[in-house]
Amino acid sequence: MKQIAIGKTAGQTRIAIREEGKLVELVVQSAEQELLGNVYRGRVADVVPGLQAAFIDIGIGQNAYLYIDDVEPAADGRELTAGKPGIGRLLQRGASLLVQVAKEGIGGKAPRVTTRISIPGRTLVYQPAGREIAVSRRITDERQRERLRQLIEALLAEGEGAILRTSAAAVPAERITAELCGLRQAWQEALANSRDGRTPQLVYQADDLVLRMMRDHLSADVTEVVVEDAATYRKLKQEIQLHAPELSERIRLHRDKQPLFAALGIDAELDKALRRQVWLKSGGFIVIEQTEAMTVIDVNTGKFTGRSSQQLEETATATNLEAAAEIARQLRLRNIAGIIMIDFIDMKREANRARVLEYLQQQLAQDRTATYVCGFTRLGLVEMTRKRMRPSLGEALTVPCPACSGRGRVLSPAELAGRLEAEVAGLVKTQEVEAVVVELPAAVFEHFLAEERREWKRLEQQWQLTMYLLSSEALSPSQYRILYAGGKQEASRRWQNKTFP
C-alpha cells in the first residue's frame, strides 16, 4: 500500500509518502524556497576560467552557479571542436542567457543552473532546444520503447527533444500528444511574455511542490492521497481530473478534528528521523552521522546475538541485510545526499559481502533520486553517492544550536511554529477556545513576533481566536508551552499579570 499525505502548517508545505505503513519520504518546503525548475533570463555576472564556471545573476539576491558541463554545447552559436573548451569561449561577462535552476541552494552554496531547459509533464519531459529523444530505462519492453520513440519523433519539431517517462507506457498516444502540445504552448507563451529583454527576470515558473510531487509520484500503485488543506485539495483534484482522471477518486480531504500528520503518526516518525540512532527489529541498530564532507553510517548487532546455532558470520550477515533495507529507507526519508560511507559488520566470506551489496542496490532501486554504489573499499567500507537536489530533512527542520556554537542542532523556528499550529488546531477543534497563551523560548520569540505580521494574523483569523505570546529564558530553543487555552478575557488577564499555575 502506498499513501501520500499533504499538510500545510506555518507557511510550509509538507508531503509525506508512506509505503506499507512506513514513512519513506518527506519533503518540506516554504514559499521562498520554490526555485527548482524555474527558468530565468539571467545576466553573466562573472566568468571564472580557473573553475570552468560562471556566476549568473537571476535576480534572487545571490548569483547562481553555472558549470561548463551544464552549458549547451552550441550556446555560443558554433559547433565545438573535440575536447572541452574554456568557459570563456562560451560565455562573456554581461551576456544574457536563459538558465534553469537544476539544484536548490543549500546552506551557503549558490543554486546551480543549466542552459539545458526541460519542462516536465506526467508522461514526458519536453526540451525546447533539446538534441535527444530518450525513453525511460524502467520501460524494458523493446517493442514498447520503439513504439514510444516513433510516436514522439513524429510529434517533435526540428530542434526539439523529449524524454518519455515510465508512465508513458500505460497511457494512450492521444494523452501523450495532448501533453506535449500543452507543454510546448506553455513554454512559447512564457517566452512571448518575456521578450522585452529585461535581465534578470523570471521567464517560466515551475509547478509548485504539490503538483511536482503528484506528477512524479501519483501512479496506479498509490492507494490514496490525503490532503489537509481545502484549497490545495481543490487545486489538486482539478489538475488530476485533467491529466489522470482515472486516479481522481483516490484523492480525499482530511476532515478529522486531529491534524493530519498527527492522525497518521507521521509527527512521531519525524522525531525519530532526526535522531542519530535507528533501531532494527532484530535488536541491532544503525548510527547516522552527517558532517560537512560526508555522511557516515555504522551498523551494530546491538541486542541481536543470533540464534544459538548461528555462527558469528551468519549473525553479521543477517544484521547487515536488515540494516541495508533500513539504510535505503533512511536515505530517502532524511534526503541524505553527497558521499555516504557505510560501515557494515565485518563479514569474512566474499559471497556474503556480495549478497549484502546486491541487496542494498535492490533497495536503493526504489529511490527516484539517483544513487551510485561504488562497492567495498580496501578498508571494508561501502562507498556510495546520492544526488543532491534540495536540503536534507535535518537541514529543513533544524538550525545550528546557539548554545553550543553549532556543534548540535535544534528545531528551527518554522518547525516549532508548525508543531505549535498543529497543537492549537487540535485544541480549537475539540474544545471551546477563544484565546491561547503561549510561552516561547527567548531565542525564537523575536522571530515569531516578526512572523506574527503574516502567519499568526492568518491563524487568528482562521481559528477565530487570539494568541498571546510570552518569552522565556528557561525554555530550550526546541520547546514551547501552551500555558492557557480558554476564554479571551481570562487569557488576557493571565498574559498581562503572568499568573499561571
Side-chain angles (χ1 to χ4, degrees), residues 272-499:
K272 292 180 181 179
L274 296 176
R275 299 174 187 169
R276 293 173 60 249
Q277 186 169 304
V278 181
W279 285 98
L280 306 175
K281 286 186 177 180
S282 65
F285 64 91
I286 63 176
V287 177
I288 303 173
E289 291 281 6
Q290 290 182 257
T291 71
E292 191 85 13
M294 68 178 69
T295 298
V296 180
I297 303 175
D298 186 39
V299 182
N300 299 276
T301 54
K303 302 174 185 177
F304 179 57
T305 56
R307 294 183 293 272
S308 58
S309 60
Q310 278 187 314
Q311 300 296 320
L312 177 61
E313 179 79 3
E314 294 173 320
T315 301
T317 303
T319 306
N320 286 339
L321 288 170
E322 185 182 10
E326 186 61 32
I327 287 170
R329 183 176 84 94
Q330 290 293 329
L331 293 181
R332 287 180 64 188
L333 175 57
R334 300 178 187 228
N335 196 26
I336 295 172
I339 300 172
I340 302 163
M341 303 295 290
I342 307 173
D343 186 10
F344 284 109
I345 303 168
D346 288 342
M347 296 170 289
K348 303 299 181 184
R349 298 175 190 167
E350 187 60 37
N352 288 336
R353 290 156 61 96
R355 182 181 169 196
V356 169
L357 197 63
E358 181 181 4
Y359 188 63
L360 175 65
Q361 291 173 320
Q362 289 175 2
Q363 296 298 308
L364 291 171
Q366 303 173 42
D367 191 349
R368 296 180 67 90
T369 301
T371 59
Y372 176 68
V373 179
C374 305
F376 281 94
T377 68
R378 293 176 64 182
L379 294 177
L381 306 175
V382 170
E383 183 181 8
M384 65 169 289
T385 64
R386 188 170 184 270
K387 189 174 182 180
R388 187 183 300 275
M389 297 296 292
R390 55 172 58 91
S392 68
L393 186 65
E395 291 169 325
L397 300 185
T398 67
V399 294
C401 176
C404 61
S405 301
R407 288 192 296 273
R409 297 186 72 86
V410 296
L411 293 178
S412 69
E415 173 63 13
L416 206 63
R419 297 187 179 202
L420 174 59
E421 177 178 344
E423 186 171 348
V424 173
L427 289 173
V428 172
K429 292 176 180 178
T430 56
Q431 303 176 26
E432 291 291 332
V433 177
E434 295 179 339
V436 294
V437 183
V438 182
E439 187 178 35
L440 301 169
V444 294
F445 180 71
E446 292 300 328
H447 169 87
F448 283 174
L449 284 183
E451 289 292 312
E452 185 179 25
R453 300 188 188 100
R454 298 184 294 111
E455 194 62 28
W456 295 114
K457 290 302 180 185
R458 177 187 68 80
L459 299 180
E460 287 183 328
Q461 292 174 0
Q462 177 181 331
W463 298 329
Q464 296 298 301
L465 56 74
T466 302
M467 300 188 71
Y468 297 96
L469 304 180
L470 290 171
S471 175
S472 171
E473 295 286 350
L475 293 178
S476 80
S478 292
Q479 290 181 310
Y480 67 83
R481 289 195 302 168
I482 297 178
L483 300 175
Y484 176 81
K488 182 176 180 180
Q489 185 176 356
E490 178 64 14
S492 177
R493 184 188 68 80
R494 294 193 180 200
W495 176 70
Q496 290 177 357
N497 298 329
K498 297 181 174 56
T499 56

Side-chain angles (χ1 to χ4, degrees), residues 1-4 17-20 217 221-224:
M1 183 187 79
K2 187 174 181 180
Q3 180 189 53
I4 300 176
I17 299 175
R18 307 173 82 203
E19 295 176 359
E20 304 303 326
H217 291 277
D221 63 337
V222 175
T223 53
E224 71 169 352

Side-chain angles (χ1 to χ4, degrees), residues 204-221:
Y204 175 82
Q205 176 76 57
D207 288 338
D208 64 21
L209 176 63
V210 173
L211 294 184
R212 283 206 309 271
M213 292 294 286
M214 290 303 100
R215 182 188 67 214
D216 295 340
H217 291 277
L218 185 57
S219 54
D221 63 337

